[in-house]
Amino acid sequence: MSISVPTGKRRWRCAQCGNLTRFDVTRTVRSRDYLHFDLSGASRVEESEVLGETVEQVRCRWCDAVDSVEVVDRPAAEEGVPAEGDVERA
């Protein structure tokens, strides 16, 4: 089962218990990372670009349901109020 990722206008909701805030997410990410190695050989990621992402499973943290998590509209999207991340910049 693949479920879409929440956006500024959509969010996850557990249809079984109503949870909107706590989920365990299993996902596969394909990325390109820029690693910086110091002279001792230790590394750290300085840049990361996500090339692809698939959400494989979303489990409700409250009731442990897997098949009940759905994507629903955020209330701000219905009222015409810009959701966080949807603000237009000049």
Side-chain angles (χ1 to χ4, degrees):
M1 175 181 110
S2 181
I3 187 168
S4 60
V5 178
T7 64
K9 296 185 180 192
R10 310 269 294 160
R11 64 181 175 184
W12 285 329
R13 178 185 178 279
C14 178
Q16 185 169 318
C17 71
N19 172 27
L20 295 169
T21 59
R22 304 286 190 265
F23 301 96
D24 289 317
V25 181
T26 304
R27 62 191 180 116
T28 302
V29 178
R30 185 171 170 267
S31 66
R32 178 179 329 171
D33 299 331
Y34 170 66
L35 300 176
H36 181 153
F37 291 86
D38 62 22
L39 295 178
S40 70
S43 68
R44 69 175 184 262
V45 177
E46 289 197 357
E47 293 177 15
S48 184
E49 176 186 358
V50 175
L51 303 174
E53 178 180 13
T54 303
V55 175
E56 297 173 14
Q57 182 184 72
V58 180
R59 178 182 303 274
C60 177
R61 200 34 113 79
W62 288 359
C63 70
D64 208 33
V66 175
D67 297 335
S68 298
V69 178
E70 59 191 3
V71 180
V72 297
D73 289 334
R74 292 180 189 264
E78 295 171 3
E79 298 168 11
V81 176
E84 185 176 326
D86 288 347
V87 177
E88 292 185 24
R89 299 203 164 115

